[in-house]
Amino acid sequence: QVQLVQSGAEVKKPGASVKVSCKASGYTFTSYGISWVRQAPGQGLEWMGWISAYNGNTNYAQKLQGRVTMTTDTSTSTAYMELRSLRSDDTAVYYCARDKGPKDYWGQGTLVTVSS
Amino acid sequence: EIVLTQSPGTLSLSPGERATLSCRASQSVSSSYLAWYQQKPGQAPRLLIYGASSRATGIPDRFSGSGSGTDFTLTISRLEPEDFAVYYCQQYGSSPPDTFGQGTKLEIK
């Protein structure tokens, strides 16, 4: 069965960086993309960007350009999302999702808290 | 960027009733690349509908999607207790970025 398992919760100080992992299983990793979506407390869903697990091509949300980097390791079927220069409004649950247009499988979410 | 506006913000209904949720796009969504997701508290979103009207794997047939262009609808024919949740529409057209609507909360009346 398809599973996406994310790394655990993180607490970071403003200005720091965070790297969240998403390990895929149950399907051919390179046949799909991975999107990252975040959700601030009590708020809606925000698409952050997408990476092709086939060739590493990326598309990022304009508001995060320059602060976010998405990568994959095909040897371990793992996707990564790094967000730099963290601010308090980056506090959110971060989700990875298998992307074939619609996002049909999601990770369990990783809470990232940014606080001094 | 395509902006999606969902209405109503909150919908109060009773089990057994019919729910109609709306999603309007600021410009035409190409090839009906419109999806609907359900999210319950503390859980990840769950794909319900893709391509505006196709049910995802394992989704009960009381959920249906319709629409094209700029106007889309999610209908739940007879509400079950487990259907009370927040629903999001999302467009995933040919050009990024993907965008989500702000959500409709379906609550028990």
Side-chain angles (χ1 to χ4, degrees):
Chain A
Q1 71 284 19
V2 175
Q3 280 192 305
L4 299 173
V5 178
Q6 298 183 222
S7 49
E10 303 262 14
V11 179
K12 297 292 183 181
K13 294 193 181 304
S17 299
V18 69
K19 192 170 187 176
V20 179
S21 67
C22 169
K23 183 170 177 59
S25 61
Y27 72 97
T28 302
F29 183 65
T30 52
S31 294
Y32 296 83
I34 295 285
S35 271
W36 290 87
V37 175
R38 68 179 180 178
Q39 186 170 38
Q43 302 302 307
L45 303 171
E46 179 186 12
W47 180 81
M48 300 177 66
W50 165 90
I51 183 167
S52 166
Y54 174 71
N55 59 15
N57 286 350
T58 55
N59 277 307
Y60 301 139
Q62 187 171 11
K63 70 177 285 189
L64 296 174
Q65 289 273 2
R67 287 208 300 138
V68 68
T69 300
M70 297 176 187
T71 57
T72 59
D73 180 346
T74 56
S75 69
T76 60
S77 298
T78 303
Y80 298 91
M81 186 284 300
E82 181 180 32
L83 189 60
R84 299 176 293 279
S85 302
L86 289 167
R87 309 188 290 246
S88 58
D89 63 355
D90 291 318
T91 293
V93 176
Y94 289 75
Y95 295 101
C96 62
R98 191 176 79 163
D99 191 325
K100 58 171 188 177
K103 285 53 170 158
D104 59 351
Y105 289 91
W106 293 65
Q108 82 277 19
T110 297
L111 176 61
V112 175
T113 303
V114 183
S115 174
S116 55
Chain B
E1 174 177 321
I2 297 177
V3 177
L4 300 178
T5 302
Q6 293 186 240
S7 60
T10 302
L11 185 58
S12 299
L13 294 170
S14 300
E17 291 192 293
R18 180 185 186 90
T20 303
L21 287 66
S22 174
C23 177
R24 178 162 290 178
S26 59
Q27 55 189 280
S28 184
V29 176
S30 61
S31 303
S32 294
Y33 287 153
L34 192 287
W36 290 92
Y37 300 85
Q38 176 194 69
Q39 188 180 33
K40 297 179 180 179
Q43 296 184 15
R46 173 193 182 197
L47 177 66
L48 300 175
I49 300 288
Y50 65 94
S53 61
S54 297
R55 271 188 302 277
T57 303
I59 300 304
D61 61 7
R62 65 180 182 272
F63 291 90
S64 63
S66 63
S68 64
T70 61
D71 288 294
F72 299 89
T73 301
L74 174 70
T75 302
I76 310 171
S77 58
R78 285 181 54 87
L79 285 166
E80 298 287 344
E82 62 267 27
D83 298 337
F84 292 92
V86 180
Y87 292 83
Y88 294 95
C89 59
Q90 181 223 358
Q91 69 80 27
Y92 53 96
S94 58
S95 299
D98 291 8
T99 50
F100 289 92
Q102 83 280 16
T104 289
K105 182 179 181 180
L106 179 55
E107 65 176 24
I108 299 177
K109 186 174 183 179

